[in-house]
Amino acid sequence: MTATAEHAGDAAAIAASRHDAEAFGVIYDRYATGLHRYAYRRLGPQSAEDAVAETFLAAFRHRGRYDLAREDARPWLFGILTKEIARRWRTEQARYRALSRAAEGDVVEGFADDVDAAVSAQSARGALADGLGRLAAGDRDVLLLIAWSGLSYEEVAQTLRIKVGTVRSRLHRARRKLREALGEDTMTDFFEVER
Amino acid sequence: MNEMKLLDELGSALDPAGPLPQDLRRRVLTGAVRPQPLWRRLLAGRAGTRVAVVGGLAAVLTAVVLAAQVIPIGGGEPAAQAQAADILAGAAAQARLQPEVRVRGDQFVRVESVATVLGMNEATRESSTSTIARQVWLSADGTHDGLIRQRPRSGGGDWSETPLPGCRDGVMTQSKGGVTGTQACTPTPGYVGGLPSDPDAMLAHLYRGVDDHPNKNPRDQQAFSAAADLVDEAYLAPASLAAVFGAVAEIPGVSVIGEVTDEAGRAGVAVALREVQGTRTELIFDRASHAYLGTRTVALQDGDGLTAGQVLFSSAVLTVGIVDRVGA
């Protein structure tokens, strides 16, 4: 993987932070928003904030182990965040249940009001949230990292420390289960997925 | 509809409404860079705005783990509560004997104290205990530059100074390592005038503060914490100080813990409230006169790297005064 300019210098900042702790602020400023948005989608306001704070504190503690050959720190940070989210699985499950109910009119914290207009399939969203809650944890991590974090297949593989082939097979399985949850014919889309 | 497209839309709908929580950066970076007093972490939700108690915690390490020595006073829970009311009434009477000082906005509240703080370095997860002597000058109206001066009590180290920049015209100027920066702020007055002088009004004032800034702690616990924050390292008008002690007697769950020795070695008696975090915060009063001496927070159970009876924070006030200049 080659580093884009946007992510260049992460390794240098982390290296500097080993001697000058405050240099770590650069890493926070670059990635806090992205990590927070991802965590917020999965966990909701309060837990997202906690998970992101714990992620950066853990990253700081382990900055000595960061592989300085990696220019882009996102896979490393999303990997830590994934573990922090896993620790909050009850919150995440409760969020999907709430979203599933919200399709029937309940209010969910942090759920924008103006979306109704954008989506014809309000009930599909409930089914989708329900389906997300039922996925195996590893499949859900792959699916949501691909869909929501902006990381590539290769980066997701690095994030979760799995092979790219495993990313593909988990994604495939997760998508199939979501389609089942949405009540679509799983056979119709089967070949589309493989492309 | 394609499930990935649906997922994309669901994600957008779930996005946070505003920018990152402002507090988060400070929370992350101060946690990462500086050891955080453990008691403050455990009691998250307490007002606790009085800046870091310990500046350079790492400078002062001792191997001593303090254990709370308490000699219980006989009697059950109702008796302990009644005794607490007696002690607090005595404390209120003592408070009314204090001189009434007119405080000008450009003056400073000067408090001298000794403290022991258990800290935990977030980066290494190591806890450490420091015993310090401490002097603070708090700007009465919060717009002047104050100061915290601390040194280890043993070993005779030098005073370390932490400036407390005043907040003028909504801006605070901070210097660190030769770099100067400004930050938006609202003044934090070191002297709060106009507080109720009647115990019932003070009690209402404490609970109103709780309801204005709700957190997950029980209301009574928050009210007690608010009272402790009001009297700790502060000057209050005598009638208001008396009202605080009168109000504390009315907070459910407040009871006498027993006879203790305070951080300065004085014979005291502790009135306390048990906190849901498994800790207990004590207000300590002189055993004979019931004058206020200081405060202490003790772990009540093992866990979180603590053992039952361990002192997280202990502070004894030696002198309180109003002065015209910092350093005076």
mmCIF file with all atom_site columns, all heavy atoms in Angstrom, chain A residues 22 29 37 40-41 50 60-61 148 175 179 184, chain B residues 1 3 7 11 14-15 25 27 32 123 176:
data_model
loop_
_atom_site.group_PDB
_atom_site.id
_atom_site.type_symbol
_atom_site.label_atom_id
_atom_site.label_alt_id
_atom_site.label_comp_id
_atom_site.label_asym_id
_atom_site.label_entity_id
_atom_site.label_seq_id
_atom_site.pdbx_PDB_ins_code
_atom_site.Cartn_x
_atom_site.Cartn_y
_atom_site.Cartn_z
_atom_site.occupancy
_atom_site.B_iso_or_equiv
_atom_site.pdbx_formal_charge
_atom_site.auth_seq_id
_atom_site.auth_comp_id
_atom_site.auth_asym_id
_atom_site.auth_atom_id
_atom_site.pdbx_PDB_model_num
ATOM 1   N N   . GLU A 1 22  ? 3.457   15.262  23.346 1.00 0.00 ? 22  GLU A N   1
ATOM 2   C CA  . GLU A 1 22  ? 2.461   16.162  22.780 1.00 0.00 ? 22  GLU A CA  1
ATOM 3   C C   . GLU A 1 22  ? 2.396   16.078  21.257 1.00 0.00 ? 22  GLU A C   1
ATOM 4   O O   . GLU A 1 22  ? 1.425   16.533  20.650 1.00 0.00 ? 22  GLU A O   1
ATOM 5   C CB  . GLU A 1 22  ? 2.714   17.594  23.265 1.00 0.00 ? 22  GLU A CB  1
ATOM 6   C CG  . GLU A 1 22  ? 2.685   17.634  24.787 1.00 0.00 ? 22  GLU A CG  1
ATOM 7   C CD  . GLU A 1 22  ? 2.410   19.007  25.368 1.00 0.00 ? 22  GLU A CD  1
ATOM 8   O OE1 . GLU A 1 22  ? 2.264   19.966  24.595 1.00 0.00 ? 22  GLU A OE1 1
ATOM 9   O OE2 . GLU A 1 22  ? 2.340   19.090  26.606 1.00 0.00 ? 22  GLU A OE2 1
ATOM 10  N N   . ASP A 1 29  ? -5.628  14.977  15.853 1.00 0.00 ? 29  ASP A N   1
ATOM 11  C CA  . ASP A 1 29  ? -6.271  15.974  14.996 1.00 0.00 ? 29  ASP A CA  1
ATOM 12  C C   . ASP A 1 29  ? -6.595  15.407  13.614 1.00 0.00 ? 29  ASP A C   1
ATOM 13  O O   . ASP A 1 29  ? -7.580  15.776  12.992 1.00 0.00 ? 29  ASP A O   1
ATOM 14  C CB  . ASP A 1 29  ? -5.388  17.218  14.867 1.00 0.00 ? 29  ASP A CB  1
ATOM 15  C CG  . ASP A 1 29  ? -5.296  17.972  16.190 1.00 0.00 ? 29  ASP A CG  1
ATOM 16  O OD1 . ASP A 1 29  ? -6.213  17.805  17.023 1.00 0.00 ? 29  ASP A OD1 1
ATOM 17  O OD2 . ASP A 1 29  ? -4.318  18.701  16.402 1.00 0.00 ? 29  ASP A OD2 1
ATOM 18  N N   . ARG A 1 37  ? -16.852 9.386   13.997 1.00 0.00 ? 37  ARG A N   1
ATOM 19  C CA  . ARG A 1 37  ? -18.055 9.183   13.178 1.00 0.00 ? 37  ARG A CA  1
ATOM 20  C C   . ARG A 1 37  ? -18.374 7.694   13.060 1.00 0.00 ? 37  ARG A C   1
ATOM 21  O O   . ARG A 1 37  ? -19.518 7.275   13.193 1.00 0.00 ? 37  ARG A O   1
ATOM 22  C CB  . ARG A 1 37  ? -17.868 9.801   11.786 1.00 0.00 ? 37  ARG A CB  1
ATOM 23  C CG  . ARG A 1 37  ? -19.172 9.749   10.988 1.00 0.00 ? 37  ARG A CG  1
ATOM 24  C CD  . ARG A 1 37  ? -19.085 10.499  9.688  1.00 0.00 ? 37  ARG A CD  1
ATOM 25  N NE  . ARG A 1 37  ? -18.083 9.907   8.828  1.00 0.00 ? 37  ARG A NE  1
ATOM 26  C CZ  . ARG A 1 37  ? -17.191 10.594  8.121  1.00 0.00 ? 37  ARG A CZ  1
ATOM 27  N NH1 . ARG A 1 37  ? -17.185 11.906  8.192  1.00 0.00 ? 37  ARG A NH1 1
ATOM 28  N NH2 . ARG A 1 37  ? -16.312 9.974   7.371  1.00 0.00 ? 37  ARG A NH2 1
ATOM 29  N N   . TYR A 1 40  ? -19.605 6.448   16.357 1.00 0.00 ? 40  TYR A N   1
ATOM 30  C CA  . TYR A 1 40  ? -20.920 7.047   16.642 1.00 0.00 ? 40  TYR A CA  1
ATOM 31  C C   . TYR A 1 40  ? -22.017 6.278   15.900 1.00 0.00 ? 40  TYR A C   1
ATOM 32  O O   . TYR A 1 40  ? -23.084 6.007   16.439 1.00 0.00 ? 40  TYR A O   1
ATOM 33  C CB  . TYR A 1 40  ? -20.895 8.503   16.185 1.00 0.00 ? 40  TYR A CB  1
ATOM 34  C CG  . TYR A 1 40  ? -22.056 9.358   16.625 1.00 0.00 ? 40  TYR A CG  1
ATOM 35  C CD1 . TYR A 1 40  ? -21.925 10.250  17.683 1.00 0.00 ? 40  TYR A CD1 1
ATOM 36  C CD2 . TYR A 1 40  ? -23.287 9.301   15.965 1.00 0.00 ? 40  TYR A CD2 1
ATOM 37  C CE1 . TYR A 1 40  ? -22.969 11.065  18.077 1.00 0.00 ? 40  TYR A CE1 1
ATOM 38  C CE2 . TYR A 1 40  ? -24.345 10.109  16.355 1.00 0.00 ? 40  TYR A CE2 1
ATOM 39  C CZ  . TYR A 1 40  ? -24.173 10.993  17.409 1.00 0.00 ? 40  TYR A CZ  1
ATOM 40  O OH  . TYR A 1 40  ? -25.218 11.797  17.797 1.00 0.00 ? 40  TYR A OH  1
ATOM 41  N N   . ARG A 1 41  ? -21.715 5.915   14.654 1.00 0.00 ? 41  ARG A N   1
ATOM 42  C CA  . ARG A 1 41  ? -22.710 5.153   13.898 1.00 0.00 ? 41  ARG A CA  1
ATOM 43  C C   . ARG A 1 41  ? -23.016 3.823   14.580 1.00 0.00 ? 41  ARG A C   1
ATOM 44  O O   . ARG A 1 41  ? -24.147 3.388   14.642 1.00 0.00 ? 41  ARG A O   1
ATOM 45  C CB  . ARG A 1 41  ? -22.194 4.899   12.478 1.00 0.00 ? 41  ARG A CB  1
ATOM 46  C CG  . ARG A 1 41  ? -22.201 6.145   11.608 1.00 0.00 ? 41  ARG A CG  1
ATOM 47  C CD  . ARG A 1 41  ? -21.590 5.860   10.250 1.00 0.00 ? 41  ARG A CD  1
ATOM 48  N NE  . ARG A 1 41  ? -21.777 6.994   9.333  1.00 0.00 ? 41  ARG A NE  1
ATOM 49  C CZ  . ARG A 1 41  ? -21.549 6.928   8.022  1.00 0.00 ? 41  ARG A CZ  1
ATOM 50  N NH1 . ARG A 1 41  ? -21.124 5.804   7.471  1.00 0.00 ? 41  ARG A NH1 1
ATOM 51  N NH2 . ARG A 1 41  ? -21.745 7.990   7.269  1.00 0.00 ? 41  ARG A NH2 1
ATOM 52  N N   . ASP A 1 50  ? -16.552 7.712   24.524 1.00 0.00 ? 50  ASP A N   1
ATOM 53  C CA  . ASP A 1 50  ? -15.702 6.902   25.402 1.00 0.00 ? 50  ASP A CA  1
ATOM 54  C C   . ASP A 1 50  ? -14.782 5.991   24.588 1.00 0.00 ? 50  ASP A C   1
ATOM 55  O O   . ASP A 1 50  ? -13.597 5.861   24.886 1.00 0.00 ? 50  ASP A O   1
ATOM 56  C CB  . ASP A 1 50  ? -16.566 6.038   26.337 1.00 0.00 ? 50  ASP A CB  1
ATOM 57  C CG  . ASP A 1 50  ? -17.264 6.884   27.388 1.00 0.00 ? 50  ASP A CG  1
ATOM 58  O OD1 . ASP A 1 50  ? -16.861 8.045   27.578 1.00 0.00 ? 50  ASP A OD1 1
ATOM 59  O OD2 . ASP A 1 50  ? -18.217 6.377   28.002 1.00 0.00 ? 50  ASP A OD2 1
ATOM 60  N N   . PHE A 1 60  ? -1.773  5.623   22.413 1.00 0.00 ? 60  PHE A N   1
ATOM 61  C CA  . PHE A 1 60  ? -0.636  6.341   22.998 1.00 0.00 ? 60  PHE A CA  1
ATOM 62  C C   . PHE A 1 60  ? 0.228   5.394   23.844 1.00 0.00 ? 60  PHE A C   1
ATOM 63  O O   . PHE A 1 60  ? 1.450   5.410   23.745 1.00 0.00 ? 60  PHE A O   1
ATOM 64  C CB  . PHE A 1 60  ? -1.139  7.505   23.849 1.00 0.00 ? 60  PHE A CB  1
ATOM 65  C CG  . PHE A 1 60  ? -0.025  8.306   24.454 1.00 0.00 ? 60  PHE A CG  1
ATOM 66  C CD1 . PHE A 1 60  ? 0.659   9.239   23.695 1.00 0.00 ? 60  PHE A CD1 1
ATOM 67  C CD2 . PHE A 1 60  ? 0.359   8.117   25.766 1.00 0.00 ? 60  PHE A CD2 1
ATOM 68  C CE1 . PHE A 1 60  ? 1.698   9.969   24.238 1.00 0.00 ? 60  PHE A CE1 1
ATOM 69  C CE2 . PHE A 1 60  ? 1.391   8.845   26.317 1.00 0.00 ? 60  PHE A CE2 1
ATOM 70  C CZ  . PHE A 1 60  ? 2.066   9.771   25.546 1.00 0.00 ? 60  PHE A CZ  1
ATOM 71  N N   . ARG A 1 61  ? -0.454  4.562   24.630 1.00 0.00 ? 61  ARG A N   1
ATOM 72  C CA  . ARG A 1 61  ? 0.298   3.618   25.471 1.00 0.00 ? 61  ARG A CA  1
ATOM 73  C C   . ARG A 1 61  ? 1.157   2.688   24.619 1.00 0.00 ? 61  ARG A C   1
ATOM 74  O O   . ARG A 1 61  ? 2.247   2.304   25.013 1.00 0.00 ? 61  ARG A O   1
ATOM 75  C CB  . ARG A 1 61  ? -0.665  2.768   26.299 1.00 0.00 ? 61  ARG A CB  1
ATOM 76  C CG  . ARG A 1 61  ? -1.115  3.407   27.575 1.00 0.00 ? 61  ARG A CG  1
ATOM 77  C CD  . ARG A 1 61  ? -1.654  2.369   28.557 1.00 0.00 ? 61  ARG A CD  1
ATOM 78  N NE  . ARG A 1 61  ? -2.792  1.615   28.040 1.00 0.00 ? 61  ARG A NE  1
ATOM 79  C CZ  . ARG A 1 61  ? -4.033  2.072   28.023 1.00 0.00 ? 61  ARG A CZ  1
ATOM 80  N NH1 . ARG A 1 61  ? -4.303  3.270   28.462 1.00 0.00 ? 61  ARG A NH1 1
ATOM 81  N NH2 . ARG A 1 61  ? -5.018  1.327   27.557 1.00 0.00 ? 61  ARG A NH2 1
ATOM 82  N N   . TRP A 1 148 ? -18.447 1.877   6.077  1.00 0.00 ? 148 TRP A N   1
ATOM 83  C CA  . TRP A 1 148 ? -18.521 3.132   6.841  1.00 0.00 ? 148 TRP A CA  1
ATOM 84  C C   . TRP A 1 148 ? -17.185 3.806   7.163  1.00 0.00 ? 148 TRP A C   1
ATOM 85  O O   . TRP A 1 148 ? -17.170 4.962   7.577  1.00 0.00 ? 148 TRP A O   1
ATOM 86  C CB  . TRP A 1 148 ? -19.263 2.900   8.163  1.00 0.00 ? 148 TRP A CB  1
ATOM 87  C CG  . TRP A 1 148 ? -20.736 2.704   8.007  1.00 0.00 ? 148 TRP A CG  1
ATOM 88  C CD1 . TRP A 1 148 ? -21.475 2.884   6.876  1.00 0.00 ? 148 TRP A CD1 1
ATOM 89  C CD2 . TRP A 1 148 ? -21.664 2.308   9.025  1.00 0.00 ? 148 TRP A CD2 1
ATOM 90  N NE1 . TRP A 1 148 ? -22.801 2.623   7.114  1.00 0.00 ? 148 TRP A NE1 1
ATOM 91  C CE2 . TRP A 1 148 ? -22.953 2.267   8.441  1.00 0.00 ? 148 TRP A CE2 1
ATOM 92  C CE3 . TRP A 1 148 ? -21.537 1.989   10.377 1.00 0.00 ? 148 TRP A CE3 1
ATOM 93  C CZ2 . TRP A 1 148 ? -24.102 1.923   9.147  1.00 0.00 ? 148 TRP A CZ2 1
ATOM 94  C CZ3 . TRP A 1 148 ? -22.685 1.644   11.097 1.00 0.00 ? 148 TRP A CZ3 1
ATOM 95  C CH2 . TRP A 1 148 ? -23.953 1.608   10.485 1.00 0.00 ? 148 TRP A CH2 1
ATOM 96  N N   . ARG A 1 175 ? -23.178 -9.712  3.543  1.00 0.00 ? 175 ARG A N   1
ATOM 97  C CA  . ARG A 1 175 ? -24.132 -9.113  2.600  1.00 0.00 ? 175 ARG A CA  1
ATOM 98  C C   . ARG A 1 175 ? -25.290 -10.065 2.333  1.00 0.00 ? 175 ARG A C   1
ATOM 99  O O   . ARG A 1 175 ? -26.447 -9.650  2.243  1.00 0.00 ? 175 ARG A O   1
ATOM 100 C CB  . ARG A 1 175 ? -23.420 -8.761  1.298  1.00 0.00 ? 175 ARG A CB  1
ATOM 101 C CG  . ARG A 1 175 ? -22.438 -7.612  1.454  1.00 0.00 ? 175 ARG A CG  1
ATOM 102 C CD  . ARG A 1 175 ? -21.833 -7.197  0.140  1.00 0.00 ? 175 ARG A CD  1
ATOM 103 N NE  . ARG A 1 175 ? -22.849 -6.690  -0.794 1.00 0.00 ? 175 ARG A NE  1
ATOM 104 C CZ  . ARG A 1 175 ? -22.561 -6.157  -1.969 1.00 0.00 ? 175 ARG A CZ  1
ATOM 105 N NH1 . ARG A 1 175 ? -21.321 -6.066  -2.375 1.00 0.00 ? 175 ARG A NH1 1
ATOM 106 N NH2 . ARG A 1 175 ? -23.533 -5.721  -2.749 1.00 0.00 ? 175 ARG A NH2 1
ATOM 107 N N   . ARG A 1 179 ? -29.241 -9.326  3.047  1.00 0.00 ? 179 ARG A N   1
ATOM 108 C CA  . ARG A 1 179 ? -30.297 -9.444  2.028  1.00 0.00 ? 179 ARG A CA  1
ATOM 109 C C   . ARG A 1 179 ? -31.416 -10.351 2.528  1.00 0.00 ? 179 ARG A C   1
ATOM 110 O O   . ARG A 1 179 ? -32.591 -10.081 2.302  1.00 0.00 ? 179 ARG A O   1
ATOM 111 C CB  . ARG A 1 179 ? -29.711 -9.981  0.718  1.00 0.00 ? 179 ARG A CB  1
ATOM 112 C CG  . ARG A 1 179 ? -29.015 -8.908  -0.105 1.00 0.00 ? 179 ARG A CG  1
ATOM 113 C CD  . ARG A 1 179 ? -28.867 -9.306  -1.551 1.00 0.00 ? 179 ARG A CD  1
ATOM 114 N NE  . ARG A 1 179 ? -28.133 -10.553 -1.703 1.00 0.00 ? 179 ARG A NE  1
ATOM 115 C CZ  . ARG A 1 179 ? -26.793 -10.640 -1.652 1.00 0.00 ? 179 ARG A CZ  1
ATOM 116 N NH1 . ARG A 1 179 ? -26.071 -9.560  -1.453 1.00 0.00 ? 179 ARG A NH1 1
ATOM 117 N NH2 . ARG A 1 179 ? -26.205 -11.801 -1.785 1.00 0.00 ? 179 ARG A NH2 1
ATOM 118 N N   . GLU A 1 184 ? -35.043 -10.159 0.565  1.00 0.00 ? 184 GLU A N   1
ATOM 119 C CA  . GLU A 1 184 ? -34.897 -10.245 -0.878 1.00 0.00 ? 184 GLU A CA  1
ATOM 120 C C   . GLU A 1 184 ? -34.494 -11.654 -1.292 1.00 0.00 ? 184 GLU A C   1
ATOM 121 O O   . GLU A 1 184 ? -34.001 -12.437 -0.486 1.00 0.00 ? 184 GLU A O   1
ATOM 122 C CB  . GLU A 1 184 ? -33.841 -9.240  -1.347 1.00 0.00 ? 184 GLU A CB  1
ATOM 123 C CG  . GLU A 1 184 ? -34.329 -7.813  -1.234 1.00 0.00 ? 184 GLU A CG  1
ATOM 124 C CD  . GLU A 1 184 ? -33.307 -6.822  -1.732 1.00 0.00 ? 184 GLU A CD  1
ATOM 125 O OE1 . GLU A 1 184 ? -32.376 -7.253  -2.440 1.00 0.00 ? 184 GLU A OE1 1
ATOM 126 O OE2 . GLU A 1 184 ? -33.441 -5.651  -1.400 1.00 0.00 ? 184 GLU A OE2 1
ATOM 127 N N   . MET B 2 1   ? -33.723 -2.902  -3.382 1.00 0.00 ? 1   MET B N   1
ATOM 128 C CA  . MET B 2 1   ? -32.604 -1.967  -3.255 1.00 0.00 ? 1   MET B CA  1
ATOM 129 C C   . MET B 2 1   ? -31.366 -2.685  -2.750 1.00 0.00 ? 1   MET B C   1
ATOM 130 O O   . MET B 2 1   ? -31.437 -3.576  -1.917 1.00 0.00 ? 1   MET B O   1
ATOM 131 C CB  . MET B 2 1   ? -33.004 -0.853  -2.267 1.00 0.00 ? 1   MET B CB  1
ATOM 132 C CG  . MET B 2 1   ? -32.032 0.285   -2.234 1.00 0.00 ? 1   MET B CG  1
ATOM 133 S SD  . MET B 2 1   ? -32.540 1.496   -1.017 1.00 0.00 ? 1   MET B SD  1
ATOM 134 C CE  . MET B 2 1   ? -32.953 2.888   -2.032 1.00 0.00 ? 1   MET B CE  1
ATOM 135 N N   . GLU B 2 3   ? -28.212 -3.724  -0.718 1.00 0.00 ? 3   GLU B N   1
ATOM 136 C CA  . GLU B 2 3   ? -28.015 -3.599  0.737  1.00 0.00 ? 3   GLU B CA  1
ATOM 137 C C   . GLU B 2 3   ? -26.839 -2.680  1.085  1.00 0.00 ? 3   GLU B C   1
ATOM 138 O O   . GLU B 2 3   ? -26.853 -2.035  2.123  1.00 0.00 ? 3   GLU B O   1
ATOM 139 C CB  . GLU B 2 3   ? -27.852 -4.980  1.378  1.00 0.00 ? 3   GLU B CB  1
ATOM 140 C CG  . GLU B 2 3   ? -26.563 -5.711  1.074  1.00 0.00 ? 3   GLU B CG  1
ATOM 141 C CD  . GLU B 2 3   ? -26.587 -6.347  -0.312 1.00 0.00 ? 3   GLU B CD  1
ATOM 142 O OE1 . GLU B 2 3   ? -27.652 -6.314  -0.962 1.00 0.00 ? 3   GLU B OE1 1
ATOM 143 O OE2 . GLU B 2 3   ? -25.552 -6.869  -0.751 1.00 0.00 ? 3   GLU B OE2 1
ATOM 144 N N   . LEU B 2 7   ? -27.092 0.516   3.433  1.00 0.00 ? 7   LEU B N   1
ATOM 145 C CA  . LEU B 2 7   ? -26.185 0.623   4.577  1.00 0.00 ? 7   LEU B CA  1
ATOM 146 C C   . LEU B 2 7   ? -25.517 2.005   4.570  1.00 0.00 ? 7   LEU B C   1
ATOM 147 O O   . LEU B 2 7   ? -25.334 2.632   5.609  1.00 0.00 ? 7   LEU B O   1
ATOM 148 C CB  . LEU B 2 7   ? -25.127 -0.476  4.461  1.00 0.00 ? 7   LEU B CB  1
ATOM 149 C CG  . LEU B 2 7   ? -24.385 -0.915  5.718  1.00 0.00 ? 7   LEU B CG  1
ATOM 150 C CD1 . LEU B 2 7   ? -25.350 -1.271  6.825  1.00 0.00 ? 7   LEU B CD1 1
ATOM 151 C CD2 . LEU B 2 7   ? -23.500 -2.113  5.389  1.00 0.00 ? 7   LEU B CD2 1
ATOM 152 N N   . GLY B 2 11  ? -25.875 4.735   7.449  1.00 0.00 ? 11  GLY B N   1
ATOM 153 C CA  . GLY B 2 11  ? -24.703 5.353   8.065  1.00 0.00 ? 11  GLY B CA  1
ATOM 154 C C   . GLY B 2 11  ? -24.811 6.866   8.088  1.00 0.00 ? 11  GLY B C   1
ATOM 155 O O   . GLY B 2 11  ? -24.602 7.500   9.128  1.00 0.00 ? 11  GLY B O   1
ATOM 156 N N   . LEU B 2 14  ? -27.095 8.154   10.600 1.00 0.00 ? 14  LEU B N   1
ATOM 157 C CA  . LEU B 2 14  ? -26.656 7.966   11.983 1.00 0.00 ? 14  LEU B CA  1
ATOM 158 C C   . LEU B 2 14  ? -25.515 8.893   12.362 1.00 0.00 ? 14  LEU B C   1
ATOM 159 O O   . LEU B 2 14  ? -25.051 8.882   13.492 1.00 0.00 ? 14  LEU B O   1
ATOM 160 C CB  . LEU B 2 14  ? -26.204 6.516   12.194 1.00 0.00 ? 14  LEU B CB  1
ATOM 161 C CG  . LEU B 2 14  ? -27.294 5.460   12.146 1.00 0.00 ? 14  LEU B CG  1
ATOM 162 C CD1 . LEU B 2 14  ? -26.686 4.075   12.266 1.00 0.00 ? 14  LEU B CD1 1
ATOM 163 C CD2 . LEU B 2 14  ? -28.295 5.691   13.261 1.00 0.00 ? 14  LEU B CD2 1
ATOM 164 N N   . ASP B 2 15  ? -25.038 9.695   11.417 1.00 0.00 ? 15  ASP B N   1
ATOM 165 C CA  . ASP B 2 15  ? -23.880 10.535  11.709 1.00 0.00 ? 15  ASP B CA  1
ATOM 166 C C   . ASP B 2 15  ? -24.160 11.526  12.831 1.00 0.00 ? 15  ASP B C   1
ATOM 167 O O   . ASP B 2 15  ? -25.287 11.978  12.997 1.00 0.00 ? 15  ASP B O   1
ATOM 168 C CB  . ASP B 2 15  ? -23.462 11.302  10.453 1.00 0.00 ? 15  ASP B CB  1
ATOM 169 C CG  . ASP B 2 15  ? -22.525 10.472  9.600  1.00 0.00 ? 15  ASP B CG  1
ATOM 170 O OD1 . ASP B 2 15  ? -21.978 9.488   10.125 1.00 0.00 ? 15  ASP B OD1 1
ATOM 171 O OD2 . ASP B 2 15  ? -22.352 10.805  8.416  1.00 0.00 ? 15  ASP B OD2 1
ATOM 172 N N   . ARG B 2 25  ? -10.781 16.230  22.942 1.00 0.00 ? 25  ARG B N   1
ATOM 173 C CA  . ARG B 2 25  ? -9.352  16.380  22.676 1.00 0.00 ? 25  ARG B CA  1
ATOM 174 C C   . ARG B 2 25  ? -8.579  16.552  23.989 1.00 0.00 ? 25  ARG B C   1
ATOM 175 O O   . ARG B 2 25  ? -7.551  15.922  24.212 1.00 0.00 ? 25  ARG B O   1
ATOM 176 C CB  . ARG B 2 25  ? -9.110  17.589  21.768 1.00 0.00 ? 25  ARG B CB  1
ATOM 177 C CG  . ARG B 2 25  ? -7.671  17.694  21.303 1.00 0.00 ? 25  ARG B CG  1
ATOM 178 C CD  . ARG B 2 25  ? -7.476  18.869  20.343 1.00 0.00 ? 25  ARG B CD  1
ATOM 179 N NE  . ARG B 2 25  ? -6.273  18.702  19.545 1.00 0.00 ? 25  ARG B NE  1
ATOM 180 C CZ  . ARG B 2 25  ? -5.041  18.993  19.968 1.00 0.00 ? 25  ARG B CZ  1
ATOM 181 N NH1 . ARG B 2 25  ? -4.863  19.469  21.183 1.00 0.00 ? 25  ARG B NH1 1
ATOM 182 N NH2 . ARG B 2 25  ? -3.994  18.797  19.193 1.00 0.00 ? 25  ARG B NH2 1
ATOM 183 N N   . ARG B 2 27  ? -9.586  15.657  26.896 1.00 0.00 ? 27  ARG B N   1
ATOM 184 C CA  . ARG B 2 27  ? -9.683  14.413  27.655 1.00 0.00 ? 27  ARG B CA  1
ATOM 185 C C   . ARG B 2 27  ? -8.634  13.406  27.196 1.00 0.00 ? 27  ARG B C   1
ATOM 186 O O   . ARG B 2 27  ? -7.971  12.765  28.004 1.00 0.00 ? 27  ARG B O   1
ATOM 187 C CB  . ARG B 2 27  ? -11.092 13.842  27.449 1.00 0.00 ? 27  ARG B CB  1
ATOM 188 C CG  . ARG B 2 27  ? -11.351 12.512  28.106 1.00 0.00 ? 27  ARG B CG  1
ATOM 189 C CD  . ARG B 2 27  ? -12.808 12.130  27.881 1.00 0.00 ? 27  ARG B CD  1
ATOM 190 N NE  . ARG B 2 27  ? -13.045 10.731  28.207 1.00 0.00 ? 27  ARG B NE  1
ATOM 191 C CZ  . ARG B 2 27  ? -14.149 10.086  27.873 1.00 0.00 ? 27  ARG B CZ  1
ATOM 192 N NH1 . ARG B 2 27  ? -15.114 10.702  27.219 1.00 0.00 ? 27  ARG B NH1 1
ATOM 193 N NH2 . ARG B 2 27  ? -14.310 8.830   28.204 1.00 0.00 ? 27  ARG B NH2 1
ATOM 194 N N   . ALA B 2 32  ? -3.337  11.301  28.076 1.00 0.00 ? 32  ALA B N   1
ATOM 195 C CA  . ALA B 2 32  ? -2.170  10.644  27.493 1.00 0.00 ? 32  ALA B CA  1
ATOM 196 C C   . ALA B 2 32  ? -0.880  11.255  28.010 1.00 0.00 ? 32  ALA B C   1
ATOM 197 O O   . ALA B 2 32  ? 0.087   10.559  28.257 1.00 0.00 ? 32  ALA B O   1
ATOM 198 C CB  . ALA B 2 32  ? -2.226  10.758  25.964 1.00 0.00 ? 32  ALA B CB  1
ATOM 199 N N   . ALA B 2 123 ? -0.695  6.316   30.881 1.00 0.00 ? 123 ALA B N   1
ATOM 200 C CA  . ALA B 2 123 ? 0.115   5.662   29.870 1.00 0.00 ? 123 ALA B CA  1
ATOM 201 C C   . ALA B 2 123 ? 0.686   4.342   30.376 1.00 0.00 ? 123 ALA B C   1
ATOM 202 O O   . ALA B 2 123 ? 0.728   3.357   29.657 1.00 0.00 ? 123 ALA B O   1
ATOM 203 C CB  . ALA B 2 123 ? 1.233   6.587   29.416 1.00 0.00 ? 123 ALA B CB  1
ATOM 204 N N   . LYS B 2 176 ? 3.424   27.734  27.596 1.00 0.00 ? 176 LYS B N   1
ATOM 205 C CA  . LYS B 2 176 ? 3.959   26.438  27.958 1.00 0.00 ? 176 LYS B CA  1
ATOM 206 C C   . LYS B 2 176 ? 5.156   26.138  27.075 1.00 0.00 ? 176 LYS B C   1
ATOM 207 O O   . LYS B 2 176 ? 5.057   26.214  25.853 1.00 0.00 ? 176 LYS B O   1
ATOM 208 C CB  . LYS B 2 176 ? 2.881   25.374  27.760 1.00 0.00 ? 176 LYS B CB  1
ATOM 209 C CG  . LYS B 2 176 ? 3.282   24.034  28.314 1.00 0.00 ? 176 LYS B CG  1
ATOM 210 C CD  . LYS B 2 176 ? 2.135   23.069  28.234 1.00 0.00 ? 176 LYS B CD  1
ATOM 211 C CE  . LYS B 2 176 ? 2.514   21.764  28.921 1.00 0.00 ? 176 LYS B CE  1
ATOM 212 N NZ  . LYS B 2 176 ? 1.511   20.747  28.738 1.00 0.00 ? 176 LYS B NZ  1
#
